[in-house]
């Protein structure tokens, strides 16, 4: 009986020697290439070169070595097709029963700083994906391994049954096609970016699983968490969890919202989030003061919320945070004694994120039924626009501070959005209403007496003067909004009538 044949050619050599040794014990003949062949031989595994099989040497600096009928005939021949088997015999081609291949490290290459185009191109694998796809297409007869974590499963089945089950082969083939699709998607994305194409005719994206989740937004919905292969260090997808329960679907959404808001600030800042909207934001000379203000902004809604701080958490701040129920605290780091305090709460999730990474502008993907929306991230700040005072009165220095804080926060509130800010903290947030004055009334009611002397930020223009009227009655003294309505003059006249300073940014910050 002829020996079974295994082809091994791997970039990731983890556990490959042990696998090959097991296969030899199972009476497999091993064929291999280049570095993999050397590694196996150095560890005492008897290996045949692919060149011995093909009768043709590796050429073009290794670009061509397995692209040969003696390899792909052995992979693609259907074992239950008499005509295929007859052709193998006619051309003296030996079937290949097991393929172990993983690919040139393209992802790792393009992740390097200052990688050259030449380096990237040379790390595009051609022969590897071709062998994988050939073997996976013929999975009824061939086992194909692309992931070292599957090695033991295949060896175990071979030892127990003398073959690998069709069910396992189908599982492995599906994994191969996912792997090669992801590999090609990364290459396509890399080259598309180089060409400057912003909206290509086809968009292929790939993500890597971070973890399975117990459920989605609700217990009856299945869910999982994925990240981009080259995800930024400045993201929840690459955060390090130091303590607490596993993150849930809603936790991840809320944590991402909190992190995005706190990134708006260079001074010490703390953001509290509930249901992806900020309920309290505070800034100050240190993180403890900023936390005090975020807490005071809405001491009711912060309960059960997510906190993001853009400075290390010290023990004094940690003691205050420990006094209430919080789901998550995100920070660049936690002082050792602060960790001791917070870890006393068994379920409290503590995450560290890199706040120092300065990313280039990215894109936002939003799924819709049967499709996908793509847009640039909203990264515009007041530094990027020309602000115009629309009213007779200009804002005072304190009002400017309040206006800038309100504008930073309102950008991250669900539309229609209104934010009131005063004394380096938010005092009222109105989110997601069907009309703008409705959001304004919610923010004003939340603020109560604190509305007096505050600044109002609006994510979009006022279609009429009713929001200014409501602001004036509440004692709000300054407003920041995009402007651009055909009825701007009505709002300006109302503001002038009540002595409110109003500025236009020319930029809308809708968030749906």
């Amino acid at each position: 009986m002829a020996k079974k044949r295994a082809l091994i050619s791997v970039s990731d050599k983890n556990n490959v020697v042990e696998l090959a040794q097991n296969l030899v014990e199972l009476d497999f003949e091993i064929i291999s290439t280049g570095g993999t062949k050397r590694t196996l031989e150095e560890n005492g595994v008897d290996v045949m070169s692919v060149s011995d099989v093909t009768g043709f040497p590796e050429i073009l600096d290794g670009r061509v070595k397995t692209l040969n009928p003696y390899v792909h005939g052995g992979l693609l021949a259907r074992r239950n097709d008499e005509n295929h088997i007859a052709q193998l015999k006619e051309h003296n081609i030996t079937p290949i029963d097991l393929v172990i291949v993983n690919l040139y490290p393209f992802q790792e290459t393009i992740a390097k700083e200052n990688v050259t185009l030449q380096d990237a191109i040379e790390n595009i694998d051609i022969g590897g994906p071709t062998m994988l796809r050939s073997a996976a297409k013929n999975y009824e007869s061939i086992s194909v391994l692309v992931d070292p974590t599957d090695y033991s499963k295949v060896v175990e089945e071979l030892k127990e049954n003398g073959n690998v089950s069709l069910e396992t082969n189908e599982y492995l083939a599906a994994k191969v096609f996912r792997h090669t699709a992801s590999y090609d998607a990364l290459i396509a994305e890399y080259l598309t970016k180089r060409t400057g194409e912003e909206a290509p005719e086809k968009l292929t994206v790939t993500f890597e699983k971070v973890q399975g989740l117990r459920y989605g937004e609700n217990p009856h919905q299945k869910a999982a968490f994925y990240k981009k292969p080259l995800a930024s260090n400045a993201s929840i997808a690459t955060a390090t969890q130091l303590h607490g329960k596993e993150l849930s679907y809603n936790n991840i959404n809320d944590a991402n919202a909190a992190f995005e808001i706190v990134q708006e600030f260079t001074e010490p800042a703390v953001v509290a989030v509930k249901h992806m909207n900020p309920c309290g934001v505070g800034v100050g000379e240190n993180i403890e003061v900023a936390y005090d203000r975020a807490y005071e902004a809405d001491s009711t809604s912060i309960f059960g919320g997510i906190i993001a701080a853009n400075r290390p958490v010290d023990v004094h701040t940690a003691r205050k945070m420990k006094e209430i129920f919080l789901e998550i605290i995100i920070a660049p780091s936690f002082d050792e004694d602060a960790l001791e305090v917070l870890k006393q709460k068994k379920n409290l999730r503590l995450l560290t994120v890199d706040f120092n990474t300065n990313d280039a502008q990215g894109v936002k993907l939003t799924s819709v039924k049967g499709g996908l929306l793509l847009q640039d991230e909203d990264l515009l700040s007041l530094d990027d626009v020309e602000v115009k005072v629309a009213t007779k009165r200009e804002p005072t220095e304190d009002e400017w501070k309040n206006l800038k804080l309100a504008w930073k926060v309102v950008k991250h509130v669900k539309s229609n959005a209104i934010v009131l800010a005063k004394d380096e903290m938010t005092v009222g947030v109105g989110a997601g209403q069907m009309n703008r004055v409705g959001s304004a009334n919610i923010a004003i009611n939340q603020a109560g007496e604190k509305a007096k002397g505050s600044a109002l930020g609006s994510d979009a223009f006022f279609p009429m003067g009713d929001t200014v009227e409501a602001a004036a009655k509440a004692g709000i003294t300054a407003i920041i909004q995009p402007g651009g309505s055909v009825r701007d003059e009505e709002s300006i006249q109302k503001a002038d009538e009540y002595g409110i300073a109003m500025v236009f940014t020319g930029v809308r910050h809708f968030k749906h």
Side-chain angles (χ1 to χ4, degrees):
M1 181 177 174
K3 282 188 174 186
K4 288 187 174 182
R5 178 172 278 187
L7 189 158
I8 307 178
S9 179
V10 293
S11 174
D12 176 2
K13 294 179 175 56
N14 284 323
N15 301 324
V16 74
V17 172
E18 181 185 357
L19 172 65
Q21 290 169 339
N22 275 304
L23 293 177
V24 169
E25 289 176 13
L26 289 162
D27 208 28
F28 272 80
E29 179 179 59
I30 309 293
I31 60 176
S32 190
T33 63
T36 305
K37 181 173 179 288
R38 284 193 301 275
T39 297
L40 296 178
E41 287 175 333
E42 287 166 3
N43 286 275
V45 178
D46 189 19
V47 183
M48 181 189 301
S49 170
V50 166
S51 297
D52 294 335
V53 172
T54 63
F56 202 90
E58 294 183 14
I59 61 171
L60 307 179
D61 299 319
R63 282 189 168 201
V64 177
K65 49 195 172 191
T66 58
L67 298 170
N68 187 286
Y70 281 99
V71 173
H72 289 278
L75 294 174
L76 286 165
R78 297 178 63 182
R79 311 302 160 84
N80 59 356
D81 187 315
E82 292 181 3
N83 184 42
H84 281 203
I85 297 303
Q87 288 181 63
L88 291 185
K89 289 179 179 176
E90 178 185 353
H91 297 288
N92 199 28
I93 297 173
T94 302
I96 297 171
D97 306 283
L98 179 60
V99 171
I100 303 99
V101 170
N102 50 58
L103 308 176
Y104 292 172
F106 181 79
Q107 179 178 325
E108 293 80 356
T109 300
I110 62 172
K112 294 175 185 173
E113 196 172 343
N114 300 321
V115 63
T116 65
L117 176 61
Q118 183 179 352
D119 282 343
I121 295 298
E122 287 307 313
N123 277 279
I124 296 176
D125 202 326
I126 301 300
T130 307
M131 287 188 291
L132 287 172
R133 288 170 61 83
S134 293
K137 178 176 179 176
N138 204 16
Y139 73 84
E140 289 184 349
S141 303
I142 299 177
S143 304
V144 53
L145 289 157
V146 74
D147 184 351
T149 62
D150 292 319
Y151 292 175
S152 58
K153 178 179 179 62
V154 167
V155 168
E156 186 179 328
E157 288 196 26
L158 286 169
K159 286 182 176 179
E160 288 183 2
N161 308 314
N163 57 51
V164 181
S165 70
L166 180 61
E167 181 183 13
T168 297
N169 278 351
E170 189 169 24
Y171 157 80
L172 294 171
K175 181 177 274 194
V176 162
F177 285 113
R178 291 196 300 271
H179 184 76
T180 55
S182 176
Y183 193 80
D184 284 342
L186 275 175
I187 296 167
E189 181 181 4
Y190 173 78
L191 291 174
T192 300
K193 281 183 179 178
R194 283 188 56 85
T195 65
E197 179 65 66
E198 294 180 350
E201 75 291 346
K202 293 190 184 297
L203 179 68
T204 306
V205 294
T206 184
F207 293 85
E208 298 170 348
K209 190 173 182 180
V210 176
Q211 66 188 81
L213 301 172
R214 287 174 57 210
Y215 53 80
E217 283 184 291
N218 301 290
H220 60 276
Q221 294 171 272
K222 294 179 181 178
F225 182 30
Y226 289 79
K227 69 174 182 179
K228 283 187 68 65
L230 298 175
S232 165
N233 287 332
S235 71
I236 296 301
T238 55
T240 300
Q241 184 167 349
L242 304 179
H243 179 71
K245 292 195 300 185
E246 189 175 83
L247 293 170
S248 72
Y249 181 98
N250 292 330
N251 287 157
I252 293 165
N253 261 331
D254 286 339
N256 182 67
F259 180 63
E260 286 188 346
I261 300 168
V262 84
Q263 281 186 299
E264 295 282 349
F265 298 91
T266 54
E267 68 271 42
V270 171
V271 173
V273 162
K274 286 288 284 292
H275 306 297
M276 294 179 68
N277 276 309
C279 56
V281 178
V283 297
E285 59 269 27
N286 59 54
I287 208 67
E288 183 179 3
V289 172
Y291 173 75
D292 288 342
R293 288 172 176 157
Y295 176 81
E296 186 185 342
D298 189 346
S299 58
T300 300
S301 298
I302 197 174
F303 185 85
I306 279 77
I307 296 290
N310 65 356
R311 295 289 192 280
V313 174
D314 59 72
V315 68
H316 303 293
T317 310
R319 286 177 183 142
K320 292 179 177 180
M321 291 175 169
K322 181 177 175 286
E323 290 175 3
I324 63 171
F325 169 54
L326 296 172
E327 290 275 6
I328 304 171
I329 302 172
I330 305 159
S333 63
F334 296 82
D335 292 353
E336 194 171 327
D337 44 3
L339 270 179
E340 259 184 62
V341 169
L342 294 170
K343 282 184 174 180
Q344 292 172 30
K345 305 197 86 168
K346 184 175 70 172
N347 294 329
L348 175 60
R349 302 156 178 93
L350 304 177
L351 304 182
T352 58
V353 181
D354 180 2
F355 278 74
N356 297 318
T357 304
N358 184 19
D359 290 330
Q361 181 153 323
V363 294
K364 182 177 180 63
L365 306 177
T366 304
S367 64
V368 296
K369 200 81 170 179
L372 185 75
L373 289 169
L374 182 150
Q375 66 173 344
D376 290 340
E377 289 185 35
D378 183 1
L379 300 176
L380 280 180
S381 70
L382 283 181
D383 295 332
D384 303 310
V385 300
E386 186 176 340
V387 177
K388 170 190 171 186
V389 179
T391 50
K392 294 174 182 176
R393 186 174 79 78
E394 294 198 2
T396 66
E397 186 176 340
D398 282 344
E399 285 173 336
W400 272 119
K401 288 180 181 177
N402 295 336
L403 288 168
K404 288 176 180 177
L405 176 56
W407 189 248
K408 286 179 179 179
V409 177
V410 79
K411 168 182 170 182
H412 296 275
V413 178
K414 297 287 186 182
S415 301
N416 287 315
I418 297 289
V419 169
L420 306 186
K422 178 182 175 182
D423 298 333
E424 299 190 292
M425 67 188 212
T426 56
V427 294
V429 178
Q433 298 306 298
M434 284 60 73
N435 62 73
R436 191 153 301 280
V437 72
S439 290
N441 288 331
I442 289 171
I444 289 165
N445 289 338
Q446 182 192 344
E449 286 299 308
K450 292 179 183 176
K452 291 179 180 177
S454 70
L456 179 151
S458 174
D459 65 336
F461 61 60
F462 298 151
M464 53 193 69
D466 53 1
T467 301
V468 179
E469 184 84 35
K473 288 179 180 178
I476 292 163
T477 62
I479 292 173
I480 186 167
Q481 57 131 320
S485 168
V486 294
R487 299 176 71 171
D488 274 347
E489 195 56 41
E490 181 181 335
S491 295
I492 293 169
Q493 287 178 3
K494 281 280 183 189
D496 283 335
E497 179 184 338
Y498 291 105
I500 293 173
M502 185 162 66
V503 299
F504 289 172
T505 66
V507 172
R508 188 182 72 190
H509 279 313
F510 268 160
K511 186 178 183 184
H512 290 94

